[in-house]
Amino acid sequence: MLIFQNEVRRQRRQPVHYRALIDEAVLRRKARDPQTWTAQLEHLIEIAQQPDASLHVVPFGTGPHHIRSCLELISFQDGRTVAYTQSSWSGHLVEEPEDVEPLRLAYDLLRDTALTPPASLTFLHAVLDEHGPHRSDGGGDPAR
């Protein structure tokens, strides 16, 4: 599936740029199955290296922040932005500009405290290395 998605991205005239903020707590909470957890970290590392993606880790040291659930901001070519918030039980589409703007500001403020994409990639590799020898591919990557 990832190969297909990457091919679709390459074929677009104007590729979609994906930017993500990931709280360190998400990276530290391991899955019950070590191979699943490792595969998830490796997938994040792969995505973080894509030219049309920016991944920012929000480290514990930044302190508390105002985004308490999943927040997606979707910007269209016409300049319009919508937001989608999601909790464990429901999701909500926010379309009115006056309602989207505070969410965009909260996102921007959090991104300002996050690690840069290169520092985030280094952080992801460190978390994966801390995980130990349970790599899904059977070993470490000597090219890193």
Side-chain angles (χ1 to χ4, degrees):
M1 184 66 162
L2 182 60
I3 293 169
F4 175 75
Q5 291 172 345
N6 287 338
E7 187 61 31
V8 168
R9 276 193 220 147
R10 279 193 289 275
Q11 291 176 4
R12 292 183 144 206
R13 287 176 219 197
Q14 295 181 340
V16 173
H17 186 83
Y18 179 76
R19 183 179 299 142
L21 302 179
I22 299 178
D23 197 290
E24 181 177 352
V26 173
L27 302 172
R28 299 290 182 189
R29 184 171 295 127
K30 298 177 184 178
R32 291 178 191 220
D33 175 15
Q35 289 181 332
T36 298
W37 189 78
T38 299
Q40 290 173 343
L41 281 175
E42 289 173 341
H43 180 72
L44 287 174
I45 289 169
E46 182 179 338
I47 294 300
Q49 295 177 59
Q50 298 295 317
D52 56 351
S54 298
L55 195 143
H56 301 262
V57 172
V58 180
F60 288 139
T62 63
H65 55 79
H66 298 292
I67 298 178
R68 298 284 181 237
S69 63
C70 179
L71 170 63
E72 296 178 42
L73 296 172
I74 305 162
S75 299
F76 298 96
Q77 289 180 348
D78 64 5
R80 183 173 57 99
T81 299
V82 298
Y84 182 75
T85 60
Q86 183 177 350
S87 69
S88 298
W89 294 275
S90 66
H92 180 70
L93 181 64
V94 181
E95 297 182 79
E96 297 301 322
E98 63 271 9
D99 297 328
V100 172
E101 191 55 35
L103 296 171
R104 186 196 322 233
L105 178 60
Y107 174 89
D108 288 344
L109 291 172
L110 184 58
R111 190 185 67 210
D112 290 348
T113 67
L115 300 176
T116 64
S120 295
L121 184 58
T122 299
F123 186 92
L124 288 169
H125 280 295
V127 171
L128 186 60
D129 289 345
E130 289 170 15
H131 180 51
H134 300 291
R135 305 285 305 259
S136 65
D137 63 0
D141 180 4
R144 278 197 308 119

